[in-house]
Amino acid sequence: MKFSVPKNILLMIACFLLLDTLNQVQTLMFSTLAEVITEMNNHTLMNHFGLEPTETRLAMMNSIMTTTHEIGNALSIIFLLPVADYKGRTFAAIHPRFGITIAVAVCQLLAAWFQASEIYILGQFILGFTFCLRTFGTQIFILECAPDNCRGFASTALIFSFVFGKLIMFSTSSPSLLGTSSLWFIFPLFVMISSVVVYILLLRFPDSPKWLVQQKRVAEAIDAIRFYHGAESKIYETVNNVIKENSLTKENKLSLKQVWENDTLRQSCLIILANMMFMQFDTSYVLSIYTIMFHNQAGFTTQMAMNINLIITIVLLPTKFVGTILLDTLGRRPTFFIAGIMQYTKSILIFATSIIIFISGSSLITQIMYLGVEFLAVLVPATGVNSILVLFVSELFPPSARTSVGQAMMFGSMLINTPIVSVFPIVNSIFPPIFFVPFVITQVIFGIYLYRNMPETRGRAVYDIIESMDNEVGSRAASILDEKLPLIRNRARTLASKRNSILNIERSRAVTFDHKFTPEN
C-alpha cells in the first residue's frame, strides 16, 4: 500500500498541532508550576478568606481545581460535542476551541497578576471544555478529511502536542526561570497571542467532505476533497465512497440505543469498549497527575524529577516520528500488540517498584526501575496506540453514529479515570502496591479479547469495513442458529432483520427482501 500524505492535510495537522500545544501548555501549568500554585493558594486563603493555609485546606484547593476541570469536561461532552453534527466539523474544531483557549488564558493571566485562586479555578473549569473538542471533535474532523491510506498518520500526528507542551513547560517553568509568582504570567500571555495567529491560519480550511455529503452538499464536498486530497487524486471515486459511507444509514443521527440494538454496530461498540478499558484502565493518567510524587517516592528530588522528564522527552522524541507511520505500515493489530506488551510490562514494573519501596524504602534499585517505567510511559503512546480508539470510531461506525458513540466513549473514559485518580491518594497512604493489582489483571483480559476480535482496517474505505463486519457478524449468527436453534430459526431471522434494518447494506437488504416477488419466481 502506497503511503503518502497530501500537503494540505499536513498543513491542517500542523495548525491543529500548534493549537493543541497551546492547550497542553495551559493544562501542564497545574503540575509543573506546583510550587507557584501552592503560593497562590496560600495567598488566597489568607487574604481573600481569612483562613490559615493548612495542609488539608491546600489539598482541598488542589482537589477543587482538578474537579472543576472534570466538570467542564463532562458539560462539554453533553453540550459542545453535538455541535459537530448540526454546525459542521470545522465550526466545532476551530471556533469554540479558540474562544475557550482565549478565555482560559485571560483567567490564568488575571490569576497570576492578582494571586487569586478563584480566577484560576474558573480557568480550570473553562479549560475542561477543550478536552472533548481536542481528543474527539478535532480528530474526527481530520480523519474525515484524510485519504484512506493515511488515516493512521492523521490520527497520530497530534501526539507531538504533548511532547512540545512538555518541552516548553519543563524547560522554562523551573524556579530559576519563569516558574515564579512574579513571572509565570508570561505563559498565559504567550498562549493568548499565539492562539490568535493559529486561529487565522485555520480559517482557510473547508469543512469535512463526509459532513458535507451528509448535508446533501455534494458539490462543496467535491471541492473539499480536491482541496484536501489534491487535484490529481481520484476525486470522483472518493466521492462515490463517501456517498456509500453516508448511505449506510437513512438517518442523519443515530442514538446510542439504536447503535446498540444493531448486531454489527454492537460488535463495534464492544471493540471500542474493550480498547477503552485496556488503554484507560492503566497507570499512565495517575503517573502524569502525580509525577512529582512518584519520583519523590522512588528517591528523586523535585528538580531531578523535572530534569528526568525533560531528558526522557528529548531522547525519545525521534520515536514519535516512527509511531506516526506504524498504523499505516504495520496495521492496527500489530501496532496494538507491540504497544500492549510494553504497557503491560510498565504495569508490572511499577507494581514491583511499589512493593520494594513499601518494604525497604527508596534506593538506587527503585530509581532505576522507575526510570524504566518513565521510558515505557513515553514509548507506549509513541506507537500511536492511543489514537486507535478515535480511529475506530471513524472506521467502524457510519457518520450518523459517531457523535453518540463519541459521547459514550468520552463519558466512559471519565468514569474510569476519575475514580482512579480520586482513590489513589487514599490507597497510597495505606498500602500503595494494592493500587496497581487491578491494572495487572484487567489488561490481560481485555488485551486477549482485543487481539482476537480487533479488525484490520488499514487503508480500507469505511463502507467496505462496515459491510465486511456485517457479513462476518451475520454469518456467525446464522451458523449458531443453524447448529443450535433450528426450531426458532425463522423467528430469529425475522428479529435479526429488524435489528439490522438500521444499516442499509447488502446483507440487511437481502434479509428483509422476500425473493418470491422477483420476476423469475
Short mmCIF file of all heavy atoms in Angstrom, two decimals, residues 180-232:
data_model
loop_
_atom_site.label_atom_id
_atom_site.label_comp_id
_atom_site.label_asym_id
_atom_site.label_seq_id
_atom_site.Cartn_x
_atom_site.Cartn_y
_atom_site.Cartn_z
N THR A 180 8.09 31.37 38.76
CA THR A 180 7.99 32.16 39.98
C THR A 180 6.66 32.91 40.00
O THR A 180 6.00 33.08 38.96
CB THR A 180 9.14 33.18 40.07
OG1 THR A 180 9.03 34.11 38.98
CG2 THR A 180 10.50 32.48 39.99
N SER A 181 6.27 33.37 41.16
CA SER A 181 4.98 34.06 41.29
C SER A 181 4.92 35.36 40.50
O SER A 181 3.84 35.82 40.13
CB SER A 181 4.72 34.37 42.77
OG SER A 181 4.62 33.18 43.52
N SER A 182 6.09 35.94 40.23
CA SER A 182 6.10 37.23 39.52
C SER A 182 6.27 37.09 38.01
O SER A 182 6.07 38.07 37.28
CB SER A 182 7.25 38.09 40.07
OG SER A 182 8.49 37.43 39.90
N LEU A 183 6.62 35.89 37.52
CA LEU A 183 6.91 35.73 36.10
C LEU A 183 6.01 34.75 35.37
O LEU A 183 5.99 34.73 34.13
CB LEU A 183 8.38 35.31 35.90
CG LEU A 183 9.46 36.33 36.26
CD1 LEU A 183 10.84 35.74 36.08
CD2 LEU A 183 9.31 37.58 35.39
N TRP A 184 5.25 33.91 36.08
CA TRP A 184 4.51 32.87 35.36
C TRP A 184 3.35 33.42 34.53
O TRP A 184 2.76 32.69 33.72
CB TRP A 184 4.03 31.79 36.32
CG TRP A 184 2.86 32.12 37.20
CD1 TRP A 184 2.88 32.78 38.37
CD2 TRP A 184 1.49 31.74 36.97
NE1 TRP A 184 1.61 32.87 38.90
CE2 TRP A 184 0.74 32.22 38.07
CE3 TRP A 184 0.82 31.05 35.98
CZ2 TRP A 184 -0.64 32.05 38.17
CZ3 TRP A 184 -0.55 30.87 36.08
CH2 TRP A 184 -1.28 31.36 37.17
N PHE A 185 3.05 34.71 34.67
CA PHE A 185 2.02 35.31 33.81
C PHE A 185 2.43 35.29 32.35
O PHE A 185 1.58 35.45 31.44
CB PHE A 185 1.78 36.77 34.25
CG PHE A 185 2.85 37.72 33.83
CD1 PHE A 185 2.76 38.41 32.62
CD2 PHE A 185 3.97 37.95 34.64
CE1 PHE A 185 3.76 39.30 32.23
CE2 PHE A 185 4.95 38.83 34.26
CZ PHE A 185 4.86 39.51 33.05
N ILE A 186 3.73 35.08 32.07
CA ILE A 186 4.22 35.05 30.69
C ILE A 186 3.60 33.89 29.92
O ILE A 186 3.34 34.00 28.71
CB ILE A 186 5.76 34.97 30.67
CG1 ILE A 186 6.36 36.26 31.26
CG2 ILE A 186 6.30 34.72 29.27
CD1 ILE A 186 7.86 36.26 31.37
N PHE A 187 3.34 32.77 30.60
CA PHE A 187 2.76 31.59 29.92
C PHE A 187 1.38 31.90 29.34
O PHE A 187 1.16 31.67 28.14
CB PHE A 187 2.72 30.40 30.88
CG PHE A 187 4.06 29.86 31.25
CD1 PHE A 187 4.52 29.93 32.55
CD2 PHE A 187 4.87 29.26 30.29
CE1 PHE A 187 5.76 29.43 32.90
CE2 PHE A 187 6.12 28.76 30.63
CZ PHE A 187 6.57 28.85 31.94
N PRO A 188 0.41 32.38 30.12
CA PRO A 188 -0.89 32.68 29.51
C PRO A 188 -0.83 33.80 28.49
O PRO A 188 -1.60 33.79 27.51
CB PRO A 188 -1.76 33.06 30.71
CG PRO A 188 -0.83 33.41 31.81
CD PRO A 188 0.39 32.58 31.58
N LEU A 189 0.09 34.75 28.67
CA LEU A 189 0.22 35.83 27.69
C LEU A 189 0.73 35.26 26.36
O LEU A 189 0.24 35.64 25.28
CB LEU A 189 1.19 36.89 28.22
CG LEU A 189 1.27 38.20 27.45
CD1 LEU A 189 -0.08 38.91 27.43
CD2 LEU A 189 2.35 39.11 28.04
N PHE A 190 1.69 34.35 26.44
CA PHE A 190 2.22 33.69 25.24
C PHE A 190 1.11 32.90 24.53
O PHE A 190 0.98 32.95 23.30
CB PHE A 190 3.37 32.77 25.64
CG PHE A 190 3.73 31.75 24.60
CD1 PHE A 190 4.43 32.11 23.46
CD2 PHE A 190 3.38 30.41 24.76
CE1 PHE A 190 4.77 31.16 22.49
CE2 PHE A 190 3.70 29.46 23.81
CZ PHE A 190 4.40 29.83 22.67
N VAL A 191 0.30 32.17 25.30
CA VAL A 191 -0.79 31.39 24.71
C VAL A 191 -1.81 32.29 24.03
O VAL A 191 -2.29 32.00 22.93
CB VAL A 191 -1.47 30.53 25.80
CG1 VAL A 191 -2.75 29.90 25.27
CG2 VAL A 191 -0.52 29.46 26.31
N MET A 192 -2.13 33.40 24.65
CA MET A 192 -3.13 34.31 24.12
C MET A 192 -2.71 34.86 22.75
O MET A 192 -3.50 34.86 21.80
CB MET A 192 -3.36 35.46 25.11
CG MET A 192 -4.57 36.31 24.81
SD MET A 192 -4.74 37.66 26.00
CE MET A 192 -4.83 36.74 27.53
N ILE A 193 -1.49 35.32 22.65
CA ILE A 193 -1.00 35.91 21.39
C ILE A 193 -0.88 34.83 20.31
O ILE A 193 -1.31 35.02 19.16
CB ILE A 193 0.35 36.60 21.62
CG1 ILE A 193 0.19 37.77 22.60
CG2 ILE A 193 0.94 37.08 20.30
CD1 ILE A 193 1.50 38.40 23.04
N SER A 194 -0.34 33.66 20.68
CA SER A 194 -0.12 32.60 19.69
C SER A 194 -1.43 32.03 19.16
O SER A 194 -1.54 31.68 17.98
CB SER A 194 0.71 31.47 20.33
OG SER A 194 1.95 31.95 20.80
N SER A 195 -2.44 31.91 20.02
CA SER A 195 -3.71 31.32 19.58
C SER A 195 -4.40 32.18 18.53
O SER A 195 -5.10 31.64 17.65
CB SER A 195 -4.62 31.11 20.79
OG SER A 195 -4.93 32.34 21.42
N VAL A 196 -4.22 33.50 18.58
CA VAL A 196 -4.81 34.37 17.57
C VAL A 196 -4.19 34.07 16.20
O VAL A 196 -4.90 33.97 15.18
CB VAL A 196 -4.60 35.85 17.93
CG1 VAL A 196 -5.08 36.76 16.80
CG2 VAL A 196 -5.31 36.20 19.23
N VAL A 197 -2.88 33.88 16.17
CA VAL A 197 -2.18 33.56 14.91
C VAL A 197 -2.67 32.23 14.35
O VAL A 197 -2.97 32.10 13.16
CB VAL A 197 -0.66 33.53 15.14
CG1 VAL A 197 0.07 33.14 13.85
CG2 VAL A 197 -0.16 34.88 15.64
N VAL A 198 -2.77 31.21 15.22
CA VAL A 198 -3.22 29.88 14.78
C VAL A 198 -4.65 29.94 14.28
O VAL A 198 -5.00 29.30 13.27
CB VAL A 198 -3.09 28.88 15.94
CG1 VAL A 198 -3.64 27.51 15.53
CG2 VAL A 198 -1.64 28.73 16.38
N TYR A 199 -5.50 30.69 14.94
CA TYR A 199 -6.91 30.81 14.54
C TYR A 199 -7.03 31.38 13.12
O TYR A 199 -7.83 30.89 12.31
CB TYR A 199 -7.65 31.69 15.54
CG TYR A 199 -9.10 31.94 15.21
CD1 TYR A 199 -10.03 30.91 15.30
CD2 TYR A 199 -9.54 33.20 14.81
CE1 TYR A 199 -11.37 31.13 14.99
CE2 TYR A 199 -10.88 33.43 14.51
CZ TYR A 199 -11.79 32.39 14.61
OH TYR A 199 -13.10 32.62 14.30
N ILE A 200 -6.24 32.37 12.82
CA ILE A 200 -6.27 32.97 11.47
C ILE A 200 -5.84 31.94 10.43
O ILE A 200 -6.43 31.85 9.33
CB ILE A 200 -5.36 34.22 11.43
CG1 ILE A 200 -5.92 35.31 12.34
CG2 ILE A 200 -5.21 34.73 10.00
CD1 ILE A 200 -5.01 36.51 12.51
N LEU A 201 -4.85 31.12 10.75
CA LEU A 201 -4.39 30.08 9.82
C LEU A 201 -5.46 29.02 9.58
O LEU A 201 -5.60 28.50 8.47
CB LEU A 201 -3.12 29.42 10.36
CG LEU A 201 -1.87 30.29 10.45
CD1 LEU A 201 -0.73 29.52 11.13
CD2 LEU A 201 -1.44 30.73 9.05
N LEU A 202 -6.23 28.69 10.61
CA LEU A 202 -7.22 27.62 10.50
C LEU A 202 -8.47 28.02 9.71
O LEU A 202 -9.22 27.16 9.26
CB LEU A 202 -7.64 27.16 11.90
CG LEU A 202 -6.63 26.29 12.65
CD1 LEU A 202 -7.06 26.11 14.10
CD2 LEU A 202 -6.48 24.93 11.98
N LEU A 203 -8.70 29.31 9.56
CA LEU A 203 -9.92 29.78 8.90
C LEU A 203 -9.98 29.41 7.42
O LEU A 203 -11.06 29.46 6.81
CB LEU A 203 -10.06 31.29 9.07
CG LEU A 203 -10.38 31.79 10.48
CD1 LEU A 203 -10.39 33.31 10.51
CD2 LEU A 203 -11.71 31.23 10.97
N ARG A 204 -8.87 29.03 6.82
CA ARG A 204 -8.85 28.75 5.39
C ARG A 204 -9.31 27.34 5.04
O ARG A 204 -9.51 27.03 3.87
CB ARG A 204 -7.42 28.97 4.83
CG ARG A 204 -6.41 27.95 5.33
CD ARG A 204 -5.00 28.34 4.89
NE ARG A 204 -4.87 28.35 3.45
CZ ARG A 204 -4.39 27.33 2.73
NH1 ARG A 204 -4.00 26.23 3.35
NH2 ARG A 204 -4.27 27.41 1.43
N PHE A 205 -9.51 26.47 6.03
CA PHE A 205 -9.81 25.07 5.74
C PHE A 205 -11.32 24.85 5.58
O PHE A 205 -12.10 25.27 6.44
CB PHE A 205 -9.27 24.17 6.85
CG PHE A 205 -7.77 24.16 6.93
CD1 PHE A 205 -7.10 24.93 7.86
CD2 PHE A 205 -7.03 23.39 6.03
CE1 PHE A 205 -5.72 24.92 7.92
CE2 PHE A 205 -5.65 23.39 6.07
CZ PHE A 205 -4.99 24.16 7.02
N PRO A 206 -11.72 24.16 4.49
CA PRO A 206 -13.15 23.87 4.30
C PRO A 206 -13.62 22.75 5.24
O PRO A 206 -12.81 22.11 5.91
CB PRO A 206 -13.21 23.40 2.84
CG PRO A 206 -11.84 22.88 2.54
CD PRO A 206 -10.90 23.72 3.37
N ASP A 207 -14.91 22.53 5.24
CA ASP A 207 -15.49 21.53 6.15
C ASP A 207 -15.19 20.12 5.65
O ASP A 207 -14.71 19.91 4.54
CB ASP A 207 -16.99 21.74 6.28
CG ASP A 207 -17.48 21.46 7.69
OD1 ASP A 207 -17.03 20.47 8.29
OD2 ASP A 207 -18.26 22.26 8.21
N SER A 208 -15.50 19.16 6.51
CA SER A 208 -15.28 17.75 6.19
C SER A 208 -16.12 17.34 4.99
O SER A 208 -17.33 17.59 4.97
CB SER A 208 -15.64 16.90 7.41
OG SER A 208 -15.96 15.59 7.03
N PRO A 209 -15.53 16.67 3.99
CA PRO A 209 -16.32 16.19 2.84
C PRO A 209 -17.44 15.25 3.26
O PRO A 209 -18.52 15.27 2.67
CB PRO A 209 -15.28 15.48 1.98
CG PRO A 209 -13.96 16.05 2.39
CD PRO A 209 -14.10 16.39 3.84
N LYS A 210 -17.21 14.44 4.27
CA LYS A 210 -18.22 13.47 4.71
C LYS A 210 -19.40 14.18 5.36
O LYS A 210 -20.55 13.77 5.18
CB LYS A 210 -17.59 12.45 5.67
CG LYS A 210 -16.51 11.61 5.00
CD LYS A 210 -15.97 10.53 5.90
CE LYS A 210 -14.91 9.72 5.16
NZ LYS A 210 -14.38 8.60 5.98
N TRP A 211 -19.12 15.24 6.11
CA TRP A 211 -20.22 16.00 6.70
C TRP A 211 -21.00 16.75 5.61
O TRP A 211 -22.23 16.83 5.67
CB TRP A 211 -19.70 16.99 7.74
CG TRP A 211 -20.78 17.73 8.45
CD1 TRP A 211 -21.53 17.29 9.51
CD2 TRP A 211 -21.29 19.04 8.14
NE1 TRP A 211 -22.45 18.24 9.88
CE2 TRP A 211 -22.32 19.32 9.05
CE3 TRP A 211 -20.95 19.98 7.18
CZ2 TRP A 211 -23.02 20.54 9.02
CZ3 TRP A 211 -21.64 21.19 7.14
CH2 TRP A 211 -22.67 21.45 8.06
N LEU A 212 -20.29 17.26 4.61
CA LEU A 212 -20.95 17.98 3.53
C LEU A 212 -21.86 17.05 2.72
O LEU A 212 -22.97 17.43 2.34
CB LEU A 212 -19.90 18.62 2.61
CG LEU A 212 -19.10 19.78 3.22
CD1 LEU A 212 -17.95 20.17 2.31
CD2 LEU A 212 -20.00 20.98 3.48
N VAL A 213 -21.42 15.82 2.47
CA VAL A 213 -22.27 14.85 1.78
C VAL A 213 -23.48 14.52 2.63
O VAL A 213 -24.59 14.36 2.11
CB VAL A 213 -21.46 13.58 1.45
CG1 VAL A 213 -22.38 12.44 1.01
CG2 VAL A 213 -20.44 13.86 0.36
N GLN A 214 -23.28 14.42 3.93
CA GLN A 214 -24.39 14.13 4.83
C GLN A 214 -25.45 15.23 4.78
O GLN A 214 -26.64 14.98 4.97
CB GLN A 214 -23.86 13.96 6.26
CG GLN A 214 -24.83 13.31 7.22
CD GLN A 214 -24.20 13.08 8.58
OE1 GLN A 214 -23.16 13.66 8.92
NE2 GLN A 214 -24.82 12.24 9.39
N GLN A 215 -25.00 16.46 4.50
CA GLN A 215 -25.92 17.59 4.39
C GLN A 215 -26.41 17.80 2.95
O GLN A 215 -27.00 18.84 2.64
CB GLN A 215 -25.21 18.88 4.87
CG GLN A 215 -24.65 18.80 6.27
CD GLN A 215 -25.68 18.46 7.31
OE1 GLN A 215 -26.74 19.09 7.35
NE2 GLN A 215 -25.39 17.49 8.17
N LYS A 216 -26.15 16.82 2.08
CA LYS A 216 -26.57 16.87 0.66
C LYS A 216 -25.88 17.99 -0.11
O LYS A 216 -26.42 18.48 -1.12
CB LYS A 216 -28.10 17.04 0.55
CG LYS A 216 -28.92 16.13 1.45
CD LYS A 216 -28.64 14.66 1.21
CE LYS A 216 -29.51 13.79 2.11
NZ LYS A 216 -29.15 12.35 2.00
N ARG A 217 -24.72 18.39 0.32
CA ARG A 217 -23.96 19.45 -0.37
C ARG A 217 -22.79 18.80 -1.10
O ARG A 217 -21.62 18.97 -0.79
CB ARG A 217 -23.48 20.49 0.65
CG ARG A 217 -24.64 21.26 1.28
CD ARG A 217 -24.34 21.81 2.65
NE ARG A 217 -23.21 22.74 2.67
CZ ARG A 217 -22.78 23.35 3.79
NH1 ARG A 217 -23.43 23.15 4.94
NH2 ARG A 217 -21.76 24.16 3.75
N VAL A 218 -23.14 18.02 -2.13
CA VAL A 218 -22.15 17.19 -2.81
C VAL A 218 -21.13 18.04 -3.58
O VAL A 218 -19.95 17.73 -3.62
CB VAL A 218 -22.85 16.19 -3.76
CG1 VAL A 218 -21.83 15.32 -4.49
CG2 VAL A 218 -23.81 15.30 -2.97
N ALA A 219 -21.59 19.11 -4.20
CA ALA A 219 -20.67 19.96 -4.96
C ALA A 219 -19.59 20.54 -4.06
O ALA A 219 -18.40 20.57 -4.42
CB ALA A 219 -21.45 21.08 -5.64
N GLU A 220 -19.98 20.99 -2.86
CA GLU A 220 -18.99 21.51 -1.91
C GLU A 220 -18.07 20.39 -1.41
O GLU A 220 -16.88 20.61 -1.17
CB GLU A 220 -19.70 22.16 -0.71
CG GLU A 220 -20.48 23.41 -1.06
CD GLU A 220 -21.18 23.99 0.16
OE1 GLU A 220 -20.51 24.22 1.18
OE2 GLU A 220 -22.41 24.19 0.09
N ALA A 221 -18.62 19.19 -1.28
CA ALA A 221 -17.81 18.05 -0.86
C ALA A 221 -16.74 17.73 -1.89
O ALA A 221 -15.59 17.40 -1.54
CB ALA A 221 -18.69 16.83 -0.62
N ILE A 222 -17.09 17.83 -3.18
CA ILE A 222 -16.10 17.59 -4.24
C ILE A 222 -14.98 18.62 -4.16
O ILE A 222 -13.79 18.28 -4.28
CB ILE A 222 -16.79 17.64 -5.62
CG1 ILE A 222 -17.78 16.47 -5.75
CG2 ILE A 222 -15.76 17.61 -6.74
CD1 ILE A 222 -18.61 16.52 -7.01
N ASP A 223 -15.33 19.89 -3.96
CA ASP A 223 -14.30 20.93 -3.81
C ASP A 223 -13.42 20.68 -2.59
O ASP A 223 -12.20 20.89 -2.63
CB ASP A 223 -14.96 22.31 -3.70
CG ASP A 223 -15.64 22.73 -4.99
OD1 ASP A 223 -15.24 22.22 -6.05
OD2 ASP A 223 -16.58 23.56 -4.92
N ALA A 224 -14.04 20.22 -1.48
CA ALA A 224 -13.27 19.94 -0.26
C ALA A 224 -12.32 18.76 -0.48
O ALA A 224 -11.16 18.80 -0.03
CB ALA A 224 -14.22 19.63 0.90
N ILE A 225 -12.77 17.74 -1.20
CA ILE A 225 -11.89 16.59 -1.49
C ILE A 225 -10.73 17.03 -2.38
O ILE A 225 -9.58 16.63 -2.19
CB ILE A 225 -12.69 15.46 -2.15
CG1 ILE A 225 -13.67 14.85 -1.14
CG2 ILE A 225 -11.77 14.38 -2.71
CD1 ILE A 225 -14.63 13.86 -1.74
N ARG A 226 -11.03 17.88 -3.36
CA ARG A 226 -9.97 18.39 -4.22
C ARG A 226 -8.96 19.20 -3.41
O ARG A 226 -7.75 19.14 -3.66
CB ARG A 226 -10.58 19.26 -5.33
CG ARG A 226 -9.56 19.75 -6.34
CD ARG A 226 -10.21 20.58 -7.44
NE ARG A 226 -11.02 19.74 -8.32
CZ ARG A 226 -12.35 19.76 -8.38
NH1 ARG A 226 -13.04 20.59 -7.57
NH2 ARG A 226 -13.00 18.97 -9.19
N PHE A 227 -9.45 19.96 -2.43
CA PHE A 227 -8.55 20.76 -1.59
C PHE A 227 -7.68 19.88 -0.70
O PHE A 227 -6.45 20.07 -0.63
CB PHE A 227 -9.38 21.72 -0.72
CG PHE A 227 -8.57 22.53 0.25
CD1 PHE A 227 -7.97 23.72 -0.12
CD2 PHE A 227 -8.39 22.09 1.57
CE1 PHE A 227 -7.22 24.46 0.78
CE2 PHE A 227 -7.65 22.82 2.48
CZ PHE A 227 -7.05 24.01 2.08
N TYR A 228 -8.29 18.90 -0.05
CA TYR A 228 -7.55 18.08 0.92
C TYR A 228 -6.71 16.98 0.27
O TYR A 228 -5.59 16.71 0.69
CB TYR A 228 -8.52 17.45 1.92
CG TYR A 228 -9.07 18.42 2.93
CD1 TYR A 228 -10.44 18.68 2.99
CD2 TYR A 228 -8.25 19.10 3.82
CE1 TYR A 228 -10.97 19.57 3.92
CE2 TYR A 228 -8.75 19.99 4.74
CZ TYR A 228 -10.12 20.23 4.79
OH TYR A 228 -10.62 21.12 5.70
N HIS A 229 -7.25 16.33 -0.77
CA HIS A 229 -6.54 15.19 -1.37
C HIS A 229 -5.65 15.60 -2.55
O HIS A 229 -4.79 14.81 -2.95
CB HIS A 229 -7.55 14.15 -1.86
CG HIS A 229 -8.35 13.54 -0.75
ND1 HIS A 229 -9.09 12.38 -0.92
CD2 HIS A 229 -8.54 13.89 0.53
CE1 HIS A 229 -9.69 12.07 0.22
NE2 HIS A 229 -9.38 12.99 1.11
N GLY A 230 -5.87 16.76 -3.10
CA GLY A 230 -5.09 17.19 -4.26
C GLY A 230 -5.88 17.02 -5.55
O GLY A 230 -6.71 16.10 -5.68
N ALA A 231 -5.62 17.89 -6.53
CA ALA A 231 -6.36 17.86 -7.80
C ALA A 231 -6.06 16.60 -8.60
O ALA A 231 -6.85 16.17 -9.44
CB ALA A 231 -6.01 19.10 -8.63
N GLU A 232 -4.90 15.97 -8.35
CA GLU A 232 -4.51 14.78 -9.10
C GLU A 232 -5.06 13.49 -8.50
O GLU A 232 -4.84 12.40 -9.03
CB GLU A 232 -2.98 14.69 -9.19
CG GLU A 232 -2.26 14.40 -7.88
CD GLU A 232 -2.16 15.62 -6.97
OE1 GLU A 232 -2.57 16.71 -7.40
OE2 GLU A 232 -1.67 15.45 -5.83
#
